[in-house]
Amino acid sequence: MHRRRILQGAAATTAAALLPASARAAAATAASDTDYPLAHWAPASTSNYTTSTRPSSYPVQHVIIHVAQETFSDTVRIFQNPAKQVSAHYVVRSGDGYVAQCVRERDVAWHAGNWDYNTRSIGIEHEGWVDQPSYFTNAMYEKSALLTASICDRHDIPKDRAHILGHIQVPGSDHTDPGPHWDWVRYIRLVNLYSAG
């Protein structure tokens, strides 16, 4: 058994060495830049968030659920546009639940419209529109709930509606997302089902 692991490790090392240096560097960067292992790195412009050292600089106490009012790819492009002055930590695609991480969890994304809430939360955008419930697919609910459960477990956030908020609940916000079609009962149940704790 020990010999098999050595051979497997040697094969993996050999295969990695066959990749061009640029591909190896990109793979190493992508793997090290995400806080959530199932996310893919799609960095926001550094003009659209505040570099920080959370949780030592600010406690992370909430997850804020958003609906982007955009497609997945347009949402990521907006976060990468330095003129937009907006970002979220994650974006979840409707059709398959694919997760992109745009801002590291230690940094403060500009998603809530309230500085105090920005400093103390992780923001998750979801592809779609509040008045089009067809965007809220099973895959989106499941992958987003798995992400939220991971965030809550890693930051000791209670998995309830007092700590997992809709954007509409942020004081001073003029947004209505995730809207009346978001199934909160289902979502919180899934978050608790997927919890490691």
Side-chain angles (χ1 to χ4, degrees), residues 11-197:
T13 302
T14 302
L18 295 175
L19 290 172
S22 59
R24 287 194 309 269
T29 300
S32 65
D33 283 338
T34 61
D35 297 296
Y36 177 61
L38 300 179
H40 299 89
W41 186 236
S45 167
T46 56
S47 298
N48 294 341
Y49 65 90
T50 302
T51 302
S52 187
T53 58
R54 300 186 316 166
S56 61
S57 55
Y58 302 100
V60 178
Q61 300 170 322
H62 299 283
V63 176
I64 299 180
I65 302 300
H66 302 266
V67 172
Q69 300 294 103
E70 289 288 349
T71 64
F72 174 89
S73 56
D74 283 349
T75 302
V76 171
R77 274 195 288 273
I78 288 167
F79 294 167
Q80 293 174 339
N81 181 343
K84 293 296 186 177
Q85 303 290 289
V86 66
S87 65
H89 295 90
Y90 296 96
V91 183
V92 181
R93 192 161 58 198
S94 171
D96 58 3
Y98 177 95
V99 177
Q101 183 169 1
C102 301
V103 177
R104 292 295 305 267
E105 291 180 12
R106 69 180 176 227
D107 296 326
V108 179
W110 301 345
H111 62 98
N114 175 315
W115 178 248
D116 183 47
Y117 275 73
N118 280 345
T119 63
R120 297 183 295 116
S121 66
I122 304 290
I124 305 175
E125 284 283 1
H126 296 81
E127 177 181 31
W129 285 261
V130 295
D131 60 348
Q132 296 181 40
S134 60
Y135 276 92
F136 304 154
T137 64
N138 290 335
M140 175 182 273
Y141 275 119
E142 291 166 5
K143 298 297 176 77
S144 176
L146 193 61
L147 168 61
T148 296
S150 174
I151 292 166
C152 289
D153 288 339
R154 286 182 283 111
H155 294 281
D156 294 321
I157 301 171
K159 298 168 192 76
D160 58 33
R161 287 289 285 118
H163 296 88
I164 303 170
L165 308 174
H167 194 181
I168 191 172
Q169 294 173 263
V170 175
S173 173
D174 60 355
H175 289 250
T176 62
D177 58 305
H181 300 293
W182 185 263
D183 189 342
W184 279 110
V185 172
R186 177 184 184 189
Y187 191 72
I188 297 299
R189 180 180 56 79
L190 286 171
V191 169
N192 282 279
L193 179 68
Y194 296 146
S195 174

